[in-house]
Amino acid sequence: MMLRLRLYLLILLALLLPAFAARAAALLDLAGAEALPPPPKVDARAWLLMEARTGQVLAAGQPDQRLPQASLTKLMTAYVVLRAAKAGQIRLDDPVTIGDKAWRTGGSRIYLNKGDQVPVETLLRGLLANSGNDAAVALAEHLGGSLEGFAALMNQAAAQLGLSNSHFVTPHGLHHPDHYTSARDLGILARAIILEFPEHYPLFGLKSFTYGKVTQRNRNRLLWREDSAVDGMKTGFTVPARYCVVNSAQRGELRLISIVLGAPNPQVRFENSAALLDYGFSHYRLDTLVAPAQPLTEVRVWGATAKRLPLGLTEPLYLLRVRAPSEPVRLEFEAPEFELNGTLSVGDAYGRLRAYLGQKLIHQQSLYALQPLQESGFFARAADAAQRLWEEWFN
């Protein structure tokens, strides 16, 4: 009887422990975060709000669900083309001969004519402003040799970016069962475009485009609303994908990316996107903790042409935080003195930076040399050795 009772208690405990553990984890998460209102309700299959500089996800719903991506595909098409231009494989003023396949492509078009010679940048403008499927095919054939070749380039780029829930078959996004993405992957892709190609980002916010005698307006309504701060990205629609949009907006230092996939109608997708962006701007701020090349601390160096080495960061350090008043950030540096053997170049890592919010460690990274150093000559090194010995004996 006692053995049976113990068995029942063990079974009951096994059933309750997972639920208790989940509840405890939720309480720990809440205890470590400042109180925030919940994000707005989003009427869509999947959605996500991301901060662009840090890549931090501020809110999301079903962010890793694989879904059809419609014309949001053209963000990857543009990324692959811009990356090839940056690598010197093509030029944006290269002429592209419009072939039969591009001319015959259906759906949204910029009405290319077979045999036209069109610069790459003009095709990019038609691709992004007017969602030209014909422009997508022309770019794909020019860079990849064929649609299959370009799809291979798209999937290669996706793997390098870490898009774990994406697969590309076409450059335009007309429906194919093996052509899909996720809200999180689109956030990563959009962030890569913004950070890697800032000089070309205005292409993603063109309000209209004219090819030949045909002028078309961008379908992204938020570009036309001055109060939205939206300055770019892409819309998409097919019957299986429903209504989709990726938007980016900036206020001050804070740039946000919102993704809405599978909204029931175009009005809802824009309302959802605007609500997510407003939520992010209302409740978060981005602080620049450290500017690049700013001396933060210095270290004593023995046996070098300079006695002290300034240390700092080669890239700016940002902190994304809730707008509510909070404790100041405290920076601490660890950089023990050392003896130089050889040379030290600008950007070489030495030492450590740690950032604390209250008593909580929120960030740590290497410090970097802000000036070059060379090993000193024999007599200077001997003098340094004598001084070092003196300090060890009498200090």
Side-chain angles (χ1 to χ4, degrees), residues 46-278:
W47 55 276
L48 180 138
L49 178 65
M50 175 185 285
E51 195 282 315
R53 290 192 186 273
T54 64
Q56 186 168 336
V57 174
L58 308 183
Q62 301 296 320
D64 298 310
Q65 183 179 355
R66 293 179 174 181
L67 293 168
Q69 51 188 310
S71 284
L72 301 186
T73 299
K74 289 159 186 162
L75 292 176
M76 178 58 86
T77 301
Y79 178 81
V80 172
V81 172
L82 290 173
R83 192 172 70 161
K86 190 173 185 178
Q89 298 167 359
I90 61 170
R91 293 166 52 97
L92 294 184
D93 59 359
D94 283 348
V96 177
T97 302
I98 306 306
D100 184 72
K101 188 170 290 186
W103 176 62
R104 291 182 181 276
T105 301
S108 57
R109 307 173 63 203
I110 62 172
Y111 301 102
L112 296 168
N113 297 308
K114 185 177 178 180
D116 281 357
Q117 295 276 305
V118 186
V120 169
E121 185 170 357
T122 300
L123 292 173
L124 277 173
R125 289 173 176 270
L127 176 86
L128 297 169
N130 301 151
S131 201
N133 294 335
D134 47 358
V137 172
L139 287 167
E141 291 185 323
H142 179 70
L143 185 57
S146 65
L147 298 189
E148 294 76 16
F150 189 76
L153 296 177
M154 298 172 84
N155 288 312
Q156 181 183 52
Q160 292 169 346
L161 289 171
L163 309 188
S164 56
N165 288 298
S166 295
H167 185 259
F168 296 88
V169 178
T170 75
H172 41 59
L174 293 175
H175 186 67
H176 188 287
D178 293 327
H179 188 85
Y180 53 82
T181 191
S182 70
R184 190 187 307 276
D185 283 1
L186 284 167
I188 295 170
L189 173 59
R191 179 173 181 255
I193 290 170
I194 292 166
L195 297 183
E196 292 183 35
F197 310 113
E199 70 276 22
H200 298 303
Y201 177 70
L203 292 172
F204 296 81
L206 295 172
K207 291 184 177 180
S208 63
F209 174 76
T210 300
Y211 184 78
K213 297 181 180 180
V214 180
T215 298
Q216 300 180 68
R217 286 166 53 106
N218 195 313
R219 297 177 180 88
N220 189 350
R221 297 179 194 172
L222 295 188
L223 289 173
W224 302 86
R225 277 180 46 185
E226 294 183 2
D227 62 334
S228 72
V230 170
D231 56 10
M233 292 320 238
K234 190 71 187 72
T235 61
F237 169 77
T238 60
V239 172
R242 304 171 76 180
Y243 293 90
C244 310
V245 67
V246 174
N247 273 317
S248 182
Q250 182 164 1
R251 291 179 183 170
E253 289 294 318
L254 185 61
R255 175 170 287 281
L256 299 176
I257 300 165
S258 71
I259 295 98
V260 176
L261 300 180
N265 61 62
Q267 182 63 24
V268 167
R269 72 174 164 186
F270 295 126
E271 289 174 351
N272 287 339
S273 183
L276 287 170
L277 293 170
D278 288 343

Side-chain angles (χ1 to χ4, degrees), residues 375-386:
E375 187 177 327
S376 58
F378 173 79
F379 292 107
R381 291 181 70 83
D384 262 2

Side-chain angles (χ1 to χ4, degrees), residues 331-381:
L331 300 180
E332 292 186 358
F333 314 105
E334 179 185 345
E337 62 182 43
F338 68 99
E339 182 172 354
L340 181 65
N341 293 300
T343 61
L344 194 70
S345 301
V346 173
D348 286 350
Y350 182 76
R352 200 78 179 156
L353 174 150
R354 294 183 178 87
Y356 293 86
L357 191 59
Q359 299 301 313
K360 182 181 179 182
L361 176 66
I362 58 172
H363 180 79
Q364 58 178 324
Q365 70 172 87
S366 295
L367 291 166
Y368 300 91
L370 298 182
Q371 71 179 40
L373 280 183
Q374 293 182 339
E375 187 177 327
S376 58
F378 173 79
F379 292 107
R381 291 181 70 83

Side-chain angles (χ1 to χ4, degrees), residues 277-296:
L277 293 170
D278 288 343
Y279 173 83
F281 286 127
S282 297
H283 299 297
Y284 290 91
R285 74 178 200 234
L286 188 73
D287 294 342
T288 304
L289 293 184
V290 180
Q294 172 189 345
L296 299 176

